[in-house]
């Protein structure tokens, strides 16, 4: 997979990709991540990427021309499965979206900034709009990092145990069940006996029951879906 991220703040984005699972995935050539500074695609001496909005109103707007030059340049080199715009009014990111995107080959992510982008960018270039929640950030960079983490960890070979992702919360619309590790007893708090039974069908049923109950208690909306 190749991910191209278009941003006005590439330095804000690089850190999450230089450690842990994302770094290992990049080092193992399981994914390529490229950052493109939008100011490199400007034509004036001030490297302007924003301007006042027509009709008046507070907030600056990202201009269409540098975005067009960047996206068109990338598309001239390869085909892209999705061109994603990170925006608060996009479709809320969930595990299903992450699963779908993990199967793609090439993706462009455009990080919004200021008041947002010229609507013509959304109308003519963007194929998918994604939000990471019902709140507003200073820009789309942190949202892009969240999206990349959710997607990259699902690529085969990225996680040490590939079945681990299949038991994460939100797979099959259920939250993950309780998990335990050593010591078996701590401060009088015990681990459920069923986990030591060696009866794996019984253990699996216990986990399914716990996942269902946890989902029912905390996120009943998932069961409705």
């Amino acid at each position: 997979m190749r991910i191209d991220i278009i941003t006005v703040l590439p330095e804000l984005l690089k850190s999450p990709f230089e450690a842990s699972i994302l770094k290992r995935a990049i080092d193992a050539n399981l994914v390529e991540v490229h950052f493109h500074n939008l100011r490199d695609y400007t034509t004036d001496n001030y490297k302007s990427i924003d301007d006042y909005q027509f009709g008046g109103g507070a907030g600056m707007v990202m201009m269409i021309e540098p975005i067009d030059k960047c996206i068109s340049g990338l598309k001239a080199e390869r085909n892209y499965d999705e061109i994603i715009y990170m925006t608060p009014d996009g479709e809320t990111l969930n595990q299903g979206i992450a699963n779908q995107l993990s199967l793609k080959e090439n993706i462009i992510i455009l990080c919004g900034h200021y008041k947002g982008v010229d609507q013509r960018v959304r109308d003519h270039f963007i194929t998918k709009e994604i939000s990471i929640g019902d709140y507003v950030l200073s820009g789309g960079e942190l949202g892009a990092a969240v999206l990349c983490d959710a997607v990259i960890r699902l690529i085969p070979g990225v996680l040490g145990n590939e079945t681990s992702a299949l038991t994460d919360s939100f797979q099959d619309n259920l939250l993950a069940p309780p998990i335990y590790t050593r010591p078996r007893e701590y401060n009088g708090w015990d681990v459920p006996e069923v986990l030591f039974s060696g009866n794996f069908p019984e253990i699996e049923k216990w986990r399914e029951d716990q996942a269902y109950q946890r989902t029912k208690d905390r996120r009943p909306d998932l069961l409705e879906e």
Side-chain angles (χ1 to χ4, degrees):
M1 172 182 278
R2 176 185 170 114
I3 302 175
D4 290 275
I5 305 177
I6 303 172
T7 171
V8 297
L9 293 171
E11 63 275 12
L12 180 62
L13 263 172
K14 292 179 179 179
S15 178
F17 297 90
E18 295 174 346
S20 190
I21 289 174
L22 299 188
K23 182 179 187 300
R24 293 202 301 269
I26 294 170
D27 290 345
N29 295 318
L30 296 172
V31 63
E32 294 181 45
V33 180
H34 300 269
F35 306 102
H36 304 274
N37 190 334
L38 196 58
R39 296 190 188 279
D40 293 338
Y41 297 86
T42 57
T43 56
D44 67 328
N45 293 332
Y46 299 101
K47 295 188 177 296
S48 303
I49 50 88
D50 63 298
D51 207 338
Y52 296 101
Q53 49 183 310
F54 287 130
M60 304 296 281
V61 179
M62 294 174 68
M63 296 185 292
I64 188 172
E65 185 176 7
I67 296 173
D68 178 14
K69 288 184 176 180
C70 185
I71 292 178
S72 295
L74 290 171
K75 290 176 67 176
E77 297 175 357
R78 66 192 61 81
N79 293 322
Y80 284 90
D81 303 293
E82 296 283 4
I83 302 177
I84 300 168
Y85 175 48
M86 303 303 301
T87 174
D89 60 348
E91 182 181 6
T92 303
L93 176 63
N94 58 34
Q95 194 62 41
I97 293 175
N99 289 342
Q100 294 168 13
L101 291 177
S102 71
L103 303 176
K104 306 299 183 182
E105 185 174 354
N106 299 314
I107 295 172
I108 293 175
I109 302 176
L110 172 62
C111 301
H113 215 69
Y114 309 111
K115 193 68 174 178
V117 300
D118 187 304
Q119 180 62 37
R120 290 169 291 185
V121 172
R122 302 173 75 165
D123 292 341
H124 299 286
F125 296 105
I126 302 304
T127 64
K128 195 174 191 65
E129 299 184 346
I130 294 179
S131 165
I132 62 168
D134 294 340
Y135 47 88
V136 178
L137 299 173
S138 299
E141 285 76 16
L142 297 180
V146 168
L147 174 62
C148 288
D149 191 299
V151 170
I152 291 173
R153 66 189 302 278
L154 297 173
I155 297 173
V158 171
L159 297 180
N161 183 344
E162 292 187 15
T163 62
S164 176
L166 299 178
T167 57
D168 286 340
S169 288
F170 305 111
Q171 295 287 8
D172 298 324
N173 278 5
L174 291 175
L175 300 181
I179 53 176
Y180 301 87
T181 189
R182 297 178 183 177
R184 180 169 178 169
E185 182 275 334
Y186 184 77
N187 283 351
W189 306 322
D190 294 323
V191 175
E193 285 296 324
V194 65
L195 298 177
F196 303 100
S197 67
N199 186 330
F200 292 105
E202 184 178 345
I203 292 172
E204 188 60 28
K205 183 180 183 306
W206 178 85
R207 285 174 171 158
E208 290 176 357
D209 291 344
Q210 291 292 315
Y212 177 83
Q213 190 60 49
R214 176 172 282 185
T215 306
K216 182 180 179 181
D217 293 341
R218 301 184 181 187
R219 290 292 304 277
D221 58 294
L222 294 175
L223 297 177
E224 294 174 3
E225 295 177 10

